[in-house]
């Protein structure tokens, strides 16, 4: 939980960005996102597309795009063995402000849901925007089906979000979530004994049994993951598991943070 003094500073930063009028309404009434001076660990905008029926080792995928205060962006990187990685890069102030202005224009200042009853086993796109009234999430079923009107505007907005530039630095997490799924088949290779805290002791989430590792355990798990395949099997407490190795982003601290989307 954020300390009261920090919370007050964040609130002040949000209110500082509401002085610009737009179409006769203050930006505050429109639920404007924070200005670029907000803390670099404060989530401002996030997009994530979830696919139906993922394999156990695909659970807990990193969000496709995460924008934080001060224009900090984190996006998924290339897997390193079984380890999910991420890249981060800064956005110039004008580009940061343009992305947020376009988010308002796309209607992301309030939560919406776009269904698509014609699609089965469809993906789900979720776009979360921070406003002065809190986080607002828009959900869109079957983004692969396209769309027109406000649905199409949202899809176009997501498509325009920037990719990581060449040379973007590796994101170095302070914590790693280990997401374990039991009841899996044996796989094509022999299973590896799990050397850390028993996987069965993890917290239950929609992404599997979750254990957050820090410090030396984080380093050890990263090394294990880099030397493994994504579909590797692990034994712990006499049971067989598939494991996903997922770095926690700056706004994520516990297993519960992976269940809020």
């Amino acid at each position: 939980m954020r300390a009261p003094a920090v919370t007050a500073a964040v609130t002040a930063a949000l209110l500082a960005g509401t002085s610009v009028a737009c179409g006769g309404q203050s930006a505050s009434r429109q639920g404007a996102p924070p200005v670029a001076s907000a803390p670099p660990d404060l989530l401002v905008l996030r997009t994530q597309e979830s696919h139906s029926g993922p394999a156990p080792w695909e659970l807990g995928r990193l969000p496709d795009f995460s924008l934080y205060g001060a224009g900090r962006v984190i996006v998924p990187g290339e897997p390193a063995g079984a380890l999910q990685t991420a890249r981060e890069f800064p956005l110039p102030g004008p580009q940061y402000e343009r992305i947020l202005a376009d988010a308002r224009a796309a209607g992301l200042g309030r939560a919406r849901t776009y269904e698509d009853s014609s699609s089965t086993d469809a993906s789900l796109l979720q776009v979360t925007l921070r406003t002065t009234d809190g986080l607002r999430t828009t959900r869109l079923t079957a983004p692969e089906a396209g769309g027109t009107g406000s649905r199409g505007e949202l899809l176009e907005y997501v498509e325009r979000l920037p990719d990581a530039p060449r040379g973007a630095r590796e994101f170095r997490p302070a914590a790693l979530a280990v997401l374990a799924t039991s009841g899996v088949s044996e796989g094509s290779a022999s299973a590896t004994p799990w050397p850390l805290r028993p996987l069965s002791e993890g917290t239950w989430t929609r992404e599997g049994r979750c254990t957050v590792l820090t410090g030396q355990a984080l380093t050890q798990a990263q090394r294990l993951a880099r030397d493994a395949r994504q579909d590797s099997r692990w034994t712990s407490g006499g049971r067989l598991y598939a494991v996903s190795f997922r770095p926690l982003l700056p706004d994520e601290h516990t297993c519960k943070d992976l269940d809020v989307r």
Side-chain angles (χ1 to χ4, degrees):
M1 180 177 294
R2 190 178 298 277
V6 176
T7 302
V10 169
T11 301
L14 295 178
L15 295 177
T18 64
S19 61
V20 179
C22 180
Q25 266 189 323
S26 72
S28 176
R29 291 179 184 175
Q30 293 183 337
V35 295
S37 60
D41 61 348
L42 180 71
L43 180 67
V44 176
L45 173 73
R46 169 165 288 154
T47 72
Q48 182 161 21
E49 185 173 338
S50 303
H51 303 285
S52 62
W57 51 88
E58 295 174 331
L59 295 173
R61 288 179 61 246
L62 285 165
D64 301 299
F65 184 89
S66 297
L67 173 63
Y68 295 87
R72 182 188 189 187
V73 176
I74 300 177
V75 297
E78 293 295 326
L83 178 66
Q84 295 187 56
T85 70
R87 298 283 174 183
E88 67 172 295
F89 59 95
L91 288 181
Q95 187 178 12
Y96 176 96
E97 298 294 348
R98 184 168 62 252
I99 285 175
L100 299 187
D102 289 347
R104 294 192 292 272
L108 294 172
R110 63 186 180 90
R112 295 184 181 184
T113 299
Y114 296 92
E115 300 287 357
D116 189 322
S117 58
S118 64
S119 300
T120 58
D121 295 327
S123 300
L124 174 66
L125 173 65
Q126 298 185 89
V127 184
T128 297
L129 177 70
R130 182 175 297 279
T131 74
T132 52
D133 299 318
L135 293 172
R136 296 292 180 262
T137 298
T138 295
R139 295 172 172 84
L140 187 148
T141 303
E144 62 275 9
T148 59
S150 56
R151 175 186 170 98
E153 290 175 0
L154 173 59
L155 290 172
E156 290 177 5
Y157 170 76
V158 172
E159 184 66 25
R160 292 196 305 268
L161 292 173
D163 296 323
R166 181 176 298 179
R169 69 189 180 102
E170 181 180 355
F171 169 68
R172 299 190 179 278
L176 181 80
V178 171
L179 303 166
T181 302
S182 61
V184 296
S185 62
E186 292 187 359
S188 59
S190 58
T192 301
W194 182 254
L196 301 173
R197 173 184 168 185
L199 294 171
S200 62
E201 296 180 6
T203 301
W204 173 251
T205 72
R206 291 173 298 180
E207 310 297 339
R209 289 281 179 184
C210 171
T211 303
V212 172
L213 305 176
T214 60
Q216 184 176 353
L218 161 65
T219 302
Q220 187 174 357
Q222 287 176 321
R223 185 166 55 248
L224 286 172
R226 290 182 186 275
D227 291 338
R229 300 187 327 191
Q230 288 181 313
D231 61 350
S232 293
R233 302 293 192 267
W234 307 82
T235 56
S236 177
R239 305 186 70 179
L240 190 66
Y241 292 88
V243 175
S244 175
F245 297 83
R246 158 69 150 81
L248 294 187
L249 298 180
D251 61 302
E252 300 169 337
H253 307 284
T254 70
C255 292
K256 289 183 179 180
D257 292 328
L258 302 182
D259 251 354
V260 299
R261 299 181 180 85

